[in-house]
Amino acid sequence: MKRIITYGTFDLLHYGHINLLRRAKALGDYLIVALSTDEFNWNSKNKKTYFSYKQRKQLLESIRYVDLVIPEEDWNQKKNDMHEYHIDTFVMGDDWKGKFDFLKDEGVDVVYLPRTPEISSSKIKKDLYDANEVTEESKLSHDDLDTNPTRK
């Protein structure tokens, strides 16, 4: 069995994430996702997530390409993970190209997959922020809508 691992935050899950997971799984038989914990995101990446670790883990576990989700708690665990989980291939988006080549010394293939260029969690956040700055109309609640066609 060929085992693949990838790492990430996977906040605001979108089709770019799904593309990465699908392509990673296609490289082997068993895909492990090391999901950055809230503490790791904040303390080491200065990144606040919208969804909690528990919520992001639940989302990832519902994706058919993902076989196991484990916590990523620090940058240094990768070498150990390669051995503990008997990894054959380490996969990341190509925006990390070269950053994890040292894992080849642990006996794994290192693959950098092209990102889906038009989408990212950062882009989603920016687009939503910009859209809400432009118009107040998008702030309707469900209570403001009449969905009964017989009342028209």
Side-chain angles (χ1 to χ4, degrees):
M1 177 187 315
K2 191 168 182 187
R3 298 166 74 88
I4 313 299
I5 195 166
T6 191
Y7 291 73
T9 299
F10 296 96
D11 196 25
L12 300 181
L13 194 67
H14 54 73
Y15 67 90
H17 291 133
I18 303 301
N19 283 341
L20 174 74
L21 296 170
R22 178 183 45 78
R23 291 180 293 157
K25 177 67 177 245
L27 296 173
D29 305 301
Y30 192 83
L31 177 61
I32 299 170
V33 176
L35 179 63
S36 300
T37 63
D38 298 331
E39 297 78 16
F40 178 51
N41 276 321
W42 184 249
N43 295 331
S44 296
K45 300 179 181 181
N46 296 319
K47 184 189 290 187
K48 174 82 172 102
T49 58
Y50 183 81
F51 292 112
S52 71
Y53 173 83
K54 183 178 177 182
Q55 291 166 324
R56 291 179 288 119
K57 183 176 189 279
Q58 185 177 27
L59 287 166
L60 284 169
E61 288 173 337
S62 72
I63 297 170
R64 68 180 173 181
Y65 308 114
V66 176
D67 296 297
L68 177 65
V69 178
I70 63 170
E72 178 188 23
E73 299 175 308
D74 64 65
W75 292 111
N76 299 321
Q77 81 181 58
K78 288 176 180 64
K79 279 186 178 185
N80 185 55
D81 288 348
M82 298 308 115
H83 301 287
E84 182 176 342
Y85 294 99
H86 309 285
I87 300 302
D88 298 291
T89 306
F90 171 91
V91 174
M92 289 296 282
D94 64 0
D95 52 326
W96 291 96
K97 193 165 190 113
K99 294 284 188 183
F100 299 105
D101 288 353
F102 66 89
L103 292 172
K104 293 175 185 176
D105 295 339
E106 304 306 312
V108 301
D109 294 327
V110 176
V111 176
Y112 300 100
L113 295 175
R115 291 178 60 105
T116 305
E118 71 278 5
I119 190 70
S120 72
S121 297
S122 298
K123 181 176 180 354
I124 290 170
K125 290 175 188 176
K126 181 185 180 321
D127 289 350
L128 287 172
Y129 177 82
D130 290 349
N132 285 316
E133 284 291 302
V134 172
T135 177
E136 294 295 319
E137 294 173 34
S138 63
K139 294 183 180 176
L140 286 175
S141 75
H142 293 197
D143 295 336
D144 297 326
L145 302 173
D146 183 359
T147 59
N148 186 342
T150 61
R151 286 197 290 247
K152 298 194 184 221

